[in-house]
Amino acid sequence: MKVALMNAETLQPVVRVGVDLAKSAYAVVAVDRREQVVVKRMLSRAAFERFLQDLPSGCIVAMEACGGAHAWGRLCAERGLRPMLLPPQAVKPYIGEQKNDLRDARGICEAAGRPTIQPVRLKSVADSDLQMVVRVREGRVAARTAKSNQIRGFLVEYGLTLPRGAAALKQQVPAILEDAENGLSAAAREVLSSLLWEWRAAEAQVLEADVWIRRLERERPASRTLQKIPGIGPVIALAWLALVGDGRQFKSGRAVAAWLGLTPRQRSSGGKTRLGHLTKHGQVYLRTLLIHGARAALNGCKATDDRLLRWGRALAERIGKNRAAVALANKLARVAWRLGVSGLEYQAG
């Protein structure tokens, strides 16, 4: 099926395309330089690939940053097009109340023409590898924690408690199962034994993911540069490289912090500045990692020559550790952005 890529009335070629991605049906809306709609139709996957081949070089192909968008973006870049991945929350105001695939594509196409919308960075195959490993480890850690909490919760029902930490679970649960005088029934011992085996399997899966992370870390020199920042370890460094990269898509460190949701919500009006709680917008996973890393850095900075950590410790004494950890996470994000765009190394002094 051949699709006309030029406005027959004005002889203007297509300059921007909005695509609503799906598994097998693709809604496409294309406009010319005068913002007149040239193409508005549904295409199959094969027809959409042929449509991309016929687009003029340098044409903008806008998509929501969703599953499969980065793969299509890389394909567009290989064919000389300009892929643009947009955050879904930025596209929604341009769709309207009545929603269908073609309206979604039209909204994406319109949002791509707005200069104030910050597009999502296109991930390379290596970046996708990093993100996959970090996300898999995240899921495995969550599964291990859930299994640990389940074992502890069942033991409490029988009047048995465990100290905090994985070491206590690993050492004391086998002893509890072998103790015939603690009141556990045969059915409870059987179930808890199975849960302990599942927890050990989850622990082994987390260790396997740690091996993957160490392997990828050795392949990324930028990861070692980021790890010189206090509070940033291998997992945070790789997650940063996968989601932020070198950070050149952001204008400033504050823009990165705002994207992560580490800046206060503003309700300013009439010349009066009113700041509230954190926005918590943007990248939840990376924000959580940075806050945990900042908290770990504050807990270990009893005696240090690092000026950043001294500032964080002084702040913790004034406003408390939790709020200081968030403030320090904001600083860590800005420092990491600065190192990425400048190529410098972190100086502790």
Side-chain angles (χ1 to χ4, degrees):
M1 181 186 297
K2 188 70 174 178
V3 179
L5 298 179
M6 181 175 291
N7 194 324
E9 298 179 357
T10 62
L11 299 180
Q12 295 289 335
V14 167
V15 297
R16 191 170 69 251
V17 179
V19 184
D20 184 48
L21 298 176
K23 183 178 180 180
S24 57
Y26 298 80
V28 175
V29 172
V31 297
D32 59 15
R33 295 183 184 277
R34 298 183 180 182
E35 297 295 327
Q36 299 296 317
V37 176
V38 179
V39 179
K40 184 179 180 181
R41 63 193 313 165
M42 299 294 298
L43 299 175
S44 65
R45 184 182 182 93
F48 179 60
E49 290 185 7
R50 292 193 298 270
F51 174 77
L52 293 179
Q53 292 178 351
D54 296 335
L55 287 175
S57 178
C59 179
I60 296 175
V61 180
M63 300 165 278
E64 283 187 336
C66 58
H70 292 277
W72 282 113
R74 291 192 292 266
L75 179 62
C76 291
E78 292 173 359
R79 295 180 176 177
L81 305 175
R82 293 172 55 194
M84 180 181 292
L85 274 58
L86 303 178
Q89 63 270 19
V91 175
K92 189 173 183 180
Y94 298 94
I95 295 176
E97 295 182 359
Q98 303 298 326
K99 182 185 184 304
N100 57 48
D101 292 343
L102 288 174
R103 282 181 175 268
D104 290 348
R106 175 60 179 166
I108 293 170
C109 186
E110 186 174 349
R114 306 280 79 80
T116 56
I117 293 181
Q118 175 69 46
V120 177
R121 184 180 67 93
L122 179 64
K123 292 184 178 65
S124 64
V125 175
D127 293 335
S128 297
D129 292 343
L130 287 180
Q131 184 178 19
M132 180 175 61
V133 171
V134 171
R135 289 293 192 178
V136 167
R137 184 185 183 278
E138 176 195 11
R140 291 183 175 184
V141 169
R144 181 185 63 180
T145 303
K147 195 61 61 179
S148 171
N149 292 338
Q150 191 176 33
I151 294 173
R152 293 173 184 274
F154 285 145
L155 286 176
V156 168
E157 295 296 327
Y158 294 92
L160 302 172
T161 59
L162 295 176
R164 299 168 69 179
L169 189 72
K170 188 182 303 183
Q171 297 172 4
Q172 296 190 21
V173 173
I176 290 174
L177 294 177
E178 294 175 1
D179 186 1
E181 306 297 331
N182 54 19
L184 282 179
S185 64
R189 294 178 192 277
E190 183 178 1
V191 173
L192 288 171
S193 178
S194 177
L195 290 176
L196 180 62
W197 180 87
E198 292 178 8
W199 179 84
R200 287 171 173 167
E203 174 75 8
Q205 289 182 335
V206 173
L207 295 177
E208 182 185 30
D210 289 339
V211 173
W212 297 340
I213 285 179
R214 287 194 294 269
R215 184 185 307 150
L216 290 174
E217 177 193 3
R218 290 193 294 268
E219 299 173 358
R220 291 290 187 109
S223 172
R224 294 189 290 273
T225 301
L226 289 173
Q227 290 182 56
K228 295 180 180 179
I229 305 173
I232 294 184
V235 176
I236 300 179
L238 291 182
W240 180 276
L241 293 176
L243 298 171
V244 181
D246 57 11
R248 298 184 186 276
Q249 68 273 27
F250 296 100
K251 295 181 179 179
S252 64
R254 191 187 186 285
V256 179
W259 176 73
L260 291 170
L262 287 170
T263 53
R265 186 186 302 275
Q266 288 200 43
R267 297 187 181 275
S268 303
S269 179
K272 295 182 179 180
T273 301
R274 296 183 179 90
L275 300 180
H277 299 289
L278 292 183
T279 61
K280 293 187 178 180
H281 290 168
Q283 208 359 277
V284 178
Y285 177 61
L286 186 54
R287 179 179 68 247
T288 303
L289 289 179
L290 286 171
I291 293 175
H292 286 333
R295 185 176 289 110
L298 287 177
N299 291 335
C301 68
K302 301 301 181 182
T304 180
D305 295 331
D306 193 298
R307 185 171 61 182
L308 182 60
L309 291 183
R310 290 202 305 270
W311 171 85
R313 182 173 58 180
L315 188 64
E317 293 175 354
R318 295 198 310 270
I319 65 175
K321 284 188 175 181
N322 289 333
R323 296 170 66 186
V326 175
L328 182 58
N330 188 312
K331 291 275 190 180
L332 297 181
R334 297 183 184 217
V335 171
W337 173 83
R338 182 61 179 170
L339 296 185
V341 299
S342 65
L344 303 175
E345 291 194 0
Y346 180 76
Q347 301 295 329

